[in-house]
Amino acid sequence: MCVFRDGKVCVPRGGGSEPEWGPRGASLPVGVSAQLTMFRYQSLEDCPLDEDEDAFQTLGEEDEDIDQFNDDTFGAGAIDDDWQEAHERLAELEDKPATARELEDGAVSDEMELLGHHEENLAERLSKLVIENELEDPAIMQAVQTQPPMQQPGGLNSSIWDGSAVLRRFRGPLLTQEMPSVSVLEYAMPQRPPQSQEDDRDLSERALPRRSSSPIIGSPPVRAVPIGTPPKQATVPNFNQQILCPKPVHIRAPMQQRYPSPYGERMSPNQLCNVPNSSLLGHPFPPSVTPVFTHLQRAQLLGGAQAGRMSPSQFARVSGLVCSPLTSMNPKLLQGRVGQMMPPASRFRAFFGAPPPPAPPPSQQQHPLCPGSHLQNLRPHPQVFRPDTTHLHPQHRRLLHQRQQQNRTQHRSLNGSAGDRAGHRSSHHEQLRKDPYANLMLQREKDWVSKIQMMQLQSTDPYLDDFYYQNYFQKLEKVSAAEEMHGDGPKKERTKLITPQVAKLEHAYKPVQFEGSLGKLTVSSVNNPRKMIDAVVTSRSEDDETKEKQVRDKRRQTLVTIEKTYSLLLDVEDYERRYLLSLEGERPALMEERKQKICDMYDNLRGKTPGQERPSDDHFVQIMCIRKGKRMVARILPFLSTEQAADILMATARNLPFLIKKDAQDEVLLCLLRPFSLVLYHLPSGTVTSLLQQLANLPQSATVPAPANLHLAAVLQNKFGLSLLYLVLSRGEELQNSSAAVELMQDNQWTELMSMATRELLRIPEAALAKPVSTPSNLLSLFSRYVDQQKLNVLETKLQLVQGIR
Amino acid sequence: MGVSPPPQPFSRQLFYSFFKSLVGKDVVVELKNDLSICGTLHSVDQYLNIKLTDISVTDPEKYPHIGRLSVKNCFIRGSVVRYVQLPADEVDTQLLQDAARKEALQQKQ
């Protein structure tokens, strides 16, 4: 029997005794209690339905029982209030699901039946699952080891275990595996927020299950924890219980033959109390150290019990661990320790309170080959660490697999024979077997935790949220595709990474309301953050800022401009994608926006001068002095119109020596070559000429014969400059060859420029000449027009214009 | 009201996204306790907890117990990481900058 604070008495149907439901049943003679197994957890599960509680209280029969067990509950037996709080929590939990309410009344009697069910074998259990499903009572469900596959969203278990409706259904196949436990987590759930939420989001709203207050949560059970009592030991718990019975230790009777456990032996947390107690006591610690021990024992047990509750697989593991020693130890220990066990055992109640009851008593069906089964379970563990790659970008996956294969071949070559590997494997198994940290959690629990994490990562806009990853692999794919294109003709099917996108849902916060109260409670929660401080945000306008000191710092100003322009650039680059995603009607607006942004960018680049003239390149030069400014310009160029781009080019050419000097450290100018060449391609001849002029730094009007053109010289000595010059020349040559050549030929300036250029080229010592990125092939023909053969030869060798030399 | 817990702020997702792209690469994780662990990045989560496989302790092996096991995998809590040393060619700095800029934009909004 178990007694609750409220005085309810619940007597679950234990082994051999008649099922008696406290409030409804007769009073229980003391003597009977000795034989009754006390199912604290079951009681907790079954009893705490608010409505029933009230009913219970009214019944007078409880009084005797209250007196009877009061001491045990509140006197020496009680340590702290954890279990009570947990019970209340549990009660609340069970209140929440709307479905539970309906079933409460019917639930009680059903619960009794259910209790009986626990002792039936799996086959019957399964057949009854359907019925149980219909009940949908959380209390019942909690008593059920396996979660029925189809549960209402509001169901306690389903909502906890399955974060989303999609995932909710998967549990069916896990039937056998799920025996283990309605996990501790479910019971330890703190009060849920008002249940008007979407079921899909239920999980997200819940705080992580509160673990028990014990500080040693989750510590692996001591190797001595005899969680896995072998089948022969099945009777032992009974024995224990008999001994322990006088105390209202809420220990669940061993549920024997419940389910075939895939994980081997398992013991209910309660059994842990009994059995492990002794073995815990016996094993690592001498009995004399009782007080310390108790605490430790508690902790161990708690850890073990928790673990047990958490996952029978852990039991399995431990059972695997302690199978042999345990069998021998247990009876001895039990007998020896019984006395000592009492106080600690009762104290365990407190701890068990925190993590609630539950776990459906693990099956007593001990596999004779417990280590084997354990190993079986562990075998899936990767000897080869095979991560789940389904969520990765296909390109990423490919890379990973390649890598893995490489490693594998490496290993194979290193390891030689399979024997080595087997040995390796067995040692691995050895480690696994002895690993106290293995199988602490059920797969289901692991999934549950993962789901919580994953839910947090659900994004409404995966493109933004996962920007780097997606784009990175897109680029990689493009590169590899480009390479492939060179090789084979047809493009192979390129899979795309599709990130599930969760629709952004608008949620109106509905504040908690109590009936009959005036106004609304404002409870601050994560979904409804309340303003705590009345802070007024004053943002300075642009004008103000310009008046500030920042203006004085030119470089900083430039940096700010660059960043602003970058934002625009990113937006503009994004437009194509947006365009595809948008509706027909929105598209013109998008185009307009895009154009506007491009203009803004250009203005930013050149400095916003209201006048027609752009007198100074200063602004632009400043931008170009900064590395990221140069990169940005390179990226902007493709978006600009031809004139704008030409303007930029001119400005660059005009100031080239200066920029070159500034670029000495960064050497980033080269990134401009590619966009520049693209621009050049579109330029008319006149512009090309002027461009060349700029490069040569000749005033438009007159040719100034100078001994040496420093400007040009500087240009030639720089990689970028020389490359740019070549590009321009090459373009000019192209134009000459084309139909538009007529203009160019007639253009004196061009001729002059060419002679100047050649002169300079000849003059410069070869050593000083920079190495261009690429030498256009038509330069030779270009030069041949303007220089005589001798000089041509010189140029040839100097510039390595002929293919062969290079 | 089924509002999901606020997803990780975009700032954290930037690094999460970044590290995701490095899965499968060799990295050296330097912890705040000055321990450096070299290994292959197996997985990362939004808290930047890191799982490494095939780990080895770089630098003098002051922690030989790690070295004794043949196959070594480890889980490192994100909060204890000081540095993560990455192969430079696996990173697209331009893209990273863009991502950071986008994130900054988002945060402003």
Side-chain angles (χ1 to χ4, degrees):
Chain A
M1 294 197 287
C2 60
V3 179
F4 293 91
R5 185 174 57 185
D6 305 313
K8 301 194 312 278
V9 176
C10 298
V11 181
R13 186 166 130 189
S17 62
E18 288 184 4
E20 292 199 305
W21 197 242
R24 307 197 181 169
S27 57
L28 302 161
V30 179
V32 173
S33 67
Q35 294 196 1
L36 284 178
T37 56
M38 299 199 276
F39 300 91
R40 173 170 180 270
Y41 298 106
Q42 272 198 333
S43 317
L44 278 177
E45 294 160 14
D46 306 331
C47 295
L49 308 167
D50 279 344
E51 293 174 5
D52 283 332
E53 276 176 38
D54 294 331
F56 292 168
Q57 277 168 355
T58 58
L59 296 171
E61 292 146 333
E62 301 160 14
D63 292 342
E64 314 180 347
D65 302 322
I66 294 173
D67 293 337
Q68 192 94 61
F69 298 106
N70 229 1
D71 269 346
D72 298 296
T73 313
F74 299 105
I79 300 302
D80 53 34
D81 286 333
D82 282 347
W83 69 270
Q84 290 165 346
E85 290 167 14
H87 167 55
E88 285 186 319
R89 252 184 272 132
L90 199 62
E92 290 170 9
L93 273 175
E94 287 163 2
D95 265 347
K96 302 294 176 164
T99 53
R101 290 217 159 260
E102 306 156 10
L103 300 164
E104 264 161 27
D105 295 329
V108 177
S109 51
D110 293 321
E111 283 158 2
M112 287 311 299
E113 291 172 46
L114 269 184
L115 293 172
H117 288 174
H118 291 322
E119 298 181 357
E120 293 170 15
N121 62 19
L122 178 61
E124 289 186 42
R125 198 79 171 83
L126 285 175
S127 66
K128 288 191 166 55
L129 265 180
V130 177
I131 304 168
E132 290 167 359
N133 284 351
E134 294 166 8
L135 294 175
E136 293 276 16
D137 185 74
I140 301 170
M141 292 311 152
Q142 284 165 13
V144 173
Q145 279 189 343
T146 350
Q147 308 308 326
M150 307 302 274
Q151 270 197 351
Q152 287 192 13
L156 176 65
N157 298 324
S158 64
S159 52
I160 288 179
W161 284 106
D162 304 317
S164 66
V166 178
L167 299 164
R168 217 163 279 154
R169 309 298 169 220
F170 81 102
R171 289 212 254 94
L174 296 184
L175 207 59
T176 50
Q177 281 189 0
E178 287 170 358
M179 285 202 312
S181 40
V182 172
S183 140
V184 121
L185 301 176
E186 295 173 347
Y187 291 93
M189 284 305 282
Q191 50 278 45
R192 278 192 234 149
Q195 275 252 359
S196 43
Q197 321 83 340
E198 276 183 329
D199 298 324
D200 278 351
R201 307 294 185 166
D202 266 354
L203 180 56
S204 54
E205 280 204 326
R206 297 212 182 84
L208 264 184
R210 214 178 296 159
R211 298 286 196 124
S212 111
S213 47
S214 159
I216 316 193
I217 296 271
S219 51
V222 181
R223 9 310 146 219
V225 173
I227 298 177
T229 14
K232 321 161 202 160
Q233 301 267 322
T235 55
V236 166
N238 271 334
F239 168 71
N240 283 346
Q241 280 151 3
Q242 286 179 16
I243 292 170
L244 292 175
C245 261
K247 295 248 175 183
V249 175
H250 303 290
I251 300 169
R252 180 195 292 254
M255 302 304 191
Q256 316 211 5
Q257 313 286 320
R258 223 160 146 208
Y259 299 104
S261 152
Y263 298 94
E265 317 76 30
R266 226 168 321 190
M267 285 183 60
S268 80
N270 302 303
Q271 287 160 353
L272 269 186
C273 253
N274 309 327
V275 176
N277 261 353
S278 43
S279 46
L280 275 178
L281 283 171
H283 232 329
F285 306 93
S288 54
V289 193
T290 313
V292 174
F293 193 38
T294 310
H295 169 76
L296 208 49
Q297 175 193 15
R298 253 199 230 158
Q300 286 162 4
L301 196 70
L302 188 57
Q306 278 223 328
R309 247 174 272 115
M310 292 285 290
S311 114
S313 52
Q314 185 205 12
F315 290 128
R317 164 186 56 84
V318 180
S319 70
L321 288 179
V322 277
C323 208
S324 27
L326 194 57
T327 30
S328 49
M329 293 249 312
N330 264 339
K332 235 190 304 168
L333 292 166
L334 281 171
Q335 287 161 16
R337 308 294 171 203
V338 160
Q340 280 177 343
M341 275 174 60
M342 298 308 256
S346 53
R347 266 166 230 185
F348 279 91
R349 236 176 355 140
F351 284 93
F352 284 124
S363 148
Q364 282 305 300
Q365 261 185 17
Q366 315 297 352
H367 292 228
L369 54 141
C370 70
S373 67
H374 164 71
L375 276 185
Q376 274 171 21
N377 295 323
L378 291 175
R379 207 157 283 146
H381 282 283
Q383 302 147 23
V384 179
F385 208 9
R386 232 178 282 267
D388 169 33
T389 57
T390 48
H391 60 283
L392 295 179
H393 194 278
Q395 180 74 1
H396 198 177
R397 215 182 306 153
R398 248 174 271 147
L399 289 173
L400 273 180
H401 284 326
Q402 278 172 17
R403 220 166 178 270
Q404 268 181 2
Q405 279 161 15
Q406 279 172 16
N407 287 343
R408 234 169 281 155
T409 47
Q410 273 176 19
H411 281 308
R412 245 171 243 139
S413 59
L414 286 174
N415 290 347
S417 69
D420 288 341
R421 260 179 290 144
H424 166 84
R425 215 176 297 135
S426 66
S427 71
H428 187 64
H429 273 297
E430 274 296 320
Q431 292 157 16
L432 286 176
R433 221 177 291 129
K434 293 175 193 159
D435 183 5
Y437 296 92
N439 287 340
L440 271 175
M441 287 172 76
L442 257 195
Q443 187 54 42
R444 187 172 84 162
E445 285 142 6
K446 291 183 205 164
D447 292 341
W448 181 73
V449 175
S450 306
K451 265 179 249 169
I452 295 180
Q453 275 198 292
M454 285 305 141
M455 281 199 64
Q456 287 196 331
L457 291 177
Q458 280 175 352
S459 77
T460 51
D461 186 0
Y463 176 76
L464 268 184
D465 292 336
D466 206 15
F467 181 76
Y468 183 86
Y469 181 79
Q470 302 206 354
N471 286 48
Y472 182 74
F473 283 102
Q474 266 180 25
K475 286 194 182 180
L476 272 188
E477 265 196 26
K478 279 186 207 159
V479 168
S480 66
E483 286 167 13
E484 277 166 31
M485 287 287 276
H486 293 315
D488 19 1
K491 270 192 243 178
K492 68 177 174 202
E493 186 75 27
R494 249 178 281 141
T495 44
K496 284 197 171 179
L497 175 71
I498 300 175
T499 312
Q501 192 168 339
V502 175
K504 207 179 234 171
L505 299 162
E506 287 301 320
H507 301 283
Y509 169 70
K510 214 183 118 210
V512 174
Q513 271 181 319
F514 288 114
E515 290 178 5
S517 72
L518 296 170
K520 303 173 181 179
L521 282 182
T522 49
V523 175
S524 177
S525 78
V526 70
N527 301 309
N528 170 40
R530 311 300 286 168
K531 196 174 182 185
M532 302 293 283
I533 306 171
D534 216 352
V536 180
V537 177
T538 47
S539 59
R540 286 197 249 120
S541 68
E542 280 296 314
D543 299 330
D544 286 340
E545 278 198 31
T546 51
K547 290 172 199 161
E548 298 284 326
K549 290 175 191 171
Q550 288 167 352
V551 182
R552 294 184 213 154
D553 190 347
K554 214 169 187 186
R555 184 175 170 92
R556 244 196 237 170
Q557 183 71 1
T558 317
L559 287 171
V560 170
T561 313
I562 290 178
E563 281 305 322
K564 285 195 201 134
T565 318
Y566 243 120
S567 318
L568 291 170
L569 174 63
L570 288 176
D571 265 343
V572 171
E573 281 178 347
D574 221 14
Y575 266 102
E576 190 183 317
R577 190 186 69 95
R578 282 174 67 183
Y579 200 79
L580 292 170
L581 293 174
S582 69
L583 308 167
E584 274 303 317
E586 295 173 359
R587 291 188 180 182
L590 280 179
M591 291 303 288
E592 273 308 305
E593 274 180 41
R594 186 173 178 271
K595 277 193 209 144
Q596 182 57 36
K597 290 203 171 157
I598 293 175
C599 287
D600 289 340
M601 281 200 298
Y602 181 71
D603 288 338
N604 279 346
L605 274 185
R606 296 298 262 122
K608 278 185 211 148
T609 27
Q612 296 275 355
E613 269 323 300
R614 298 215 184 267
S616 85
D617 291 336
D618 192 41
H619 195 93
F620 178 70
V621 171
Q622 286 301 316
I623 290 179
M624 290 291 275
C625 288
I626 300 171
R627 189 197 306 193
K628 63 177 171 177
K630 286 180 265 217
R631 287 201 205 269
M632 183 184 68
V633 169
R635 281 174 75 173
I636 288 183
L637 270 176
F639 294 103
L640 295 177
S641 69
T642 319
E643 303 92 50
Q644 290 171 327
D647 197 23
I648 298 285
L649 257 184
M650 294 289 198
T652 313
R654 251 196 307 267
N655 301 283
L656 202 48
F658 180 67
L659 292 175
I660 287 171
K661 195 172 57 170
K662 285 285 181 175
D663 191 45
Q665 218 180 12
D666 301 330
E667 300 196 14
V668 171
L669 273 176
L670 293 167
C671 72
L672 286 166
L673 267 180
R674 198 171 161 75
F676 274 177
S677 64
L678 287 170
V679 173
L680 267 174
Y681 192 74
H682 298 289
L683 286 184
S685 60
T687 327
V688 178
T689 318
S690 339
L691 198 55
L692 189 53
Q693 232 172 21
Q694 303 291 348
L695 277 175
N697 199 23
L698 294 173
Q700 296 254 358
S701 47
T703 50
V704 179
N709 189 328
L710 295 170
H711 185 116
L712 196 53
V715 168
L716 291 176
Q717 284 172 18
N718 174 262
K719 192 167 183 176
F720 172 71
L722 189 58
S723 313
L724 186 59
L725 182 66
Y726 279 1
L727 284 173
V728 174
L729 292 176
S730 163
R731 176 67 186 150
E733 176 66 10
E734 276 171 35
L735 285 173
Q736 280 193 334
N737 289 338
S738 69
S739 56
V742 185
E743 296 170 37
L744 209 56
M745 293 293 272
Q746 291 170 351
D747 194 347
N748 289 333
Q749 285 193 338
W750 178 257
T751 324
E752 283 171 32
L753 289 168
M754 279 310 302
S755 44
M756 159 134 298
T758 47
R759 224 183 305 140
E760 202 57 39
L761 278 168
L762 289 165
R763 194 188 65 82
I764 279 187
E766 193 162 337
L769 208 58
K771 195 162 180 295
V773 171
S774 64
T775 312
S777 47
N778 54 2
L779 279 183
L780 196 59
S781 53
L782 176 70
F783 287 138
S784 63
R785 267 189 253 268
Y786 300 100
V787 291
D788 56 17
Q789 189 59 35
Q790 187 200 15
K791 288 188 183 162
L792 188 63
N793 291 333
V794 177
L795 273 176
E796 244 181 277
T797 40
K798 204 175 195 182
L799 303 174
Q800 297 172 345
L801 289 175
V802 182
Q803 292 272 351
I805 298 179
R806 234 183 303 153
Chain B
M1 175 178 2
V3 182
S4 61
Q8 291 293 339
F10 190 54
S11 54
R12 274 196 247 171
Q13 288 194 322
L14 170 64
F15 281 108
Y16 172 53
S17 179
F18 175 61
F19 277 115
K20 266 201 300 184
S21 76
L22 290 174
V23 166
K25 309 288 189 295
D26 288 329
V27 299
V28 179
V29 180
E30 178 174 331
L31 307 180
K32 289 179 181 170
N33 67 357
D34 294 337
L35 172 62
S36 282
I37 302 178
C38 167
T40 312
L41 185 64
H42 172 257
S43 66
V44 68
D45 67 5
Q46 76 261 40
Y47 307 108
L48 302 186
N49 298 327
I50 290 175
K51 271 192 178 173
L52 297 174
T53 60
D54 285 336
I55 59 173
S56 60
V57 184
T58 63
D59 298 356
E61 295 221 5
K62 285 187 276 181
Y63 305 87
H65 63 276
I66 301 177
R68 260 186 242 130
L69 303 175
S70 45
V71 174
K72 299 160 282 179
N73 308 318
C74 78
F75 172 90
I76 302 175
R77 188 185 151 89
S79 63
V80 306
V81 172
R82 183 187 289 143
Y83 299 126
V84 177
Q85 296 165 22
L86 341 148
D89 42 354
E90 301 292 347
V91 177
D92 184 347
T93 43
Q94 183 72 303
L95 189 58
L96 194 54
Q97 285 181 9
D98 287 350
R101 288 193 177 101
K102 279 193 186 273
E103 165 232 321
L105 273 176
Q106 277 213 330
Q107 284 202 329
K108 262 194 239 171
Q109 289 165 6

